[in-house]
Amino acid sequence: MTAPSDRRRATHEQWLLEITSIPTAAGREQRVVRWIQSWAKKRAKRLSFERDRHGNVVLRSRGKAGKGQAPLYIT
Protein backbone atom coordinates (compact mmCIF):
# COMPACT_ATOMS: atom_id res chain seq x y z
CA MET A 1 0.00 0.00 0.00
CA THR A 2 1.27 3.47 -0.88
CA ALA A 3 1.42 6.02 1.92
CA PRO A 4 -0.37 9.37 1.38
CA SER A 5 2.97 11.21 1.52
CA ASP A 6 4.35 8.97 -1.25
CA ARG A 7 1.29 9.64 -3.43
CA ARG A 8 1.59 13.37 -2.77
CA ARG A 9 5.27 13.30 -3.69
CA ALA A 10 4.51 11.39 -6.90
CA THR A 11 1.82 13.95 -7.78
CA HIS A 12 4.21 16.84 -7.16
CA GLU A 13 6.88 15.16 -9.27
CA GLN A 14 4.35 14.72 -12.09
CA TRP A 15 3.45 18.43 -11.93
CA LEU A 16 7.15 19.34 -12.05
CA LEU A 17 7.74 17.08 -15.05
CA GLU A 18 4.74 18.54 -16.86
CA ILE A 19 5.62 22.16 -16.26
CA THR A 20 9.34 21.78 -17.00
CA SER A 21 8.61 20.00 -20.29
CA ILE A 22 6.76 23.06 -21.65
CA PRO A 23 8.96 24.95 -24.12
CA THR A 24 9.54 28.50 -22.87
CA ALA A 25 11.94 31.41 -23.04
CA ALA A 26 12.18 34.79 -21.39
CA GLY A 27 9.21 36.88 -22.46
CA ARG A 28 7.46 33.83 -23.93
CA GLU A 29 6.05 32.18 -20.84
CA GLN A 30 2.39 32.13 -21.92
CA ARG A 31 2.24 28.31 -22.23
CA VAL A 32 3.57 27.89 -18.70
CA VAL A 33 1.13 30.53 -17.44
CA ARG A 34 -1.77 28.69 -19.12
CA TRP A 35 -0.66 25.43 -17.43
CA ILE A 36 -0.59 27.15 -14.02
CA GLN A 37 -3.96 28.82 -14.70
CA SER A 38 -5.51 25.47 -15.64
CA TRP A 39 -3.97 23.84 -12.58
CA ALA A 40 -5.32 26.60 -10.31
CA LYS A 41 -8.76 26.51 -11.95
CA LYS A 42 -9.10 22.85 -10.94
CA ARG A 43 -8.51 24.01 -7.36
CA ALA A 44 -10.69 27.16 -7.55
CA LYS A 45 -12.40 26.44 -4.23
CA ARG A 46 -9.03 26.61 -2.49
CA LEU A 47 -6.96 28.89 -4.76
CA SER A 48 -7.36 32.09 -6.71
CA PHE A 49 -5.31 32.85 -9.82
CA GLU A 50 -4.57 36.35 -11.00
CA ARG A 51 -1.97 38.30 -12.96
CA ASP A 52 -0.53 41.52 -11.65
CA ARG A 53 0.07 44.59 -13.80
CA HIS A 54 3.54 43.30 -14.70
CA GLY A 55 2.24 39.93 -15.90
CA ASN A 56 3.38 37.95 -12.87
CA VAL A 57 1.16 35.09 -11.68
CA VAL A 58 -0.28 35.46 -8.19
CA LEU A 59 -1.82 32.44 -6.42
CA ARG A 60 -3.69 32.97 -3.17
CA SER A 61 -5.23 30.49 -0.76
CA ARG A 62 -8.95 30.94 -0.21
CA GLY A 63 -11.00 30.48 2.94
CA LYS A 64 -9.87 29.83 6.47
CA ALA A 65 -6.90 27.72 5.37
CA GLY A 66 -5.43 30.68 3.50
CA LYS A 67 -6.17 33.34 6.09
CA GLY A 68 -2.93 35.06 7.01
CA GLN A 69 -0.90 33.24 4.38
CA ALA A 70 1.19 35.23 1.96
CA PRO A 71 0.37 34.83 -1.73
CA LEU A 72 2.67 32.90 -4.03
CA TYR A 73 4.16 35.08 -6.76
CA ILE A 74 5.50 33.40 -9.88
CA THR A 75 7.57 35.74 -12.02
Side-chain angles (χ1 to χ4, degrees):
M1 182 184 285
T2 307
S5 61
D6 291 340
R7 285 192 302 270
R8 194 169 44 248
R9 180 184 176 112
T11 298
H12 294 173
E13 286 177 0
Q14 182 61 40
W15 294 339
L16 181 62
L17 289 171
E18 287 178 27
I19 203 164
T20 58
S21 71
I22 300 170
T24 190
R28 303 218 175 240
E29 299 94 353
Q30 54 273 35
R31 284 182 245 164
V32 172
V33 171
R34 281 194 303 266
W35 188 96
I36 296 169
Q37 186 174 20
S38 174
W39 180 88
K41 189 175 185 178
K42 293 174 189 171
R43 294 153 182 82
K45 288 186 178 179
R46 296 176 305 184
L47 290 175
S48 70
F49 171 96
E50 56 189 86
R51 305 275 308 263
D52 69 13
R53 65 186 176 152
H54 305 288
N56 299 309
V57 171
V58 182
L59 297 174
R60 297 179 194 277
S61 294
R62 294 183 190 263
K64 290 181 183 179
K67 194 167 189 157
Q69 288 187 2
L72 173 64
Y73 291 92
I74 302 171
T75 61

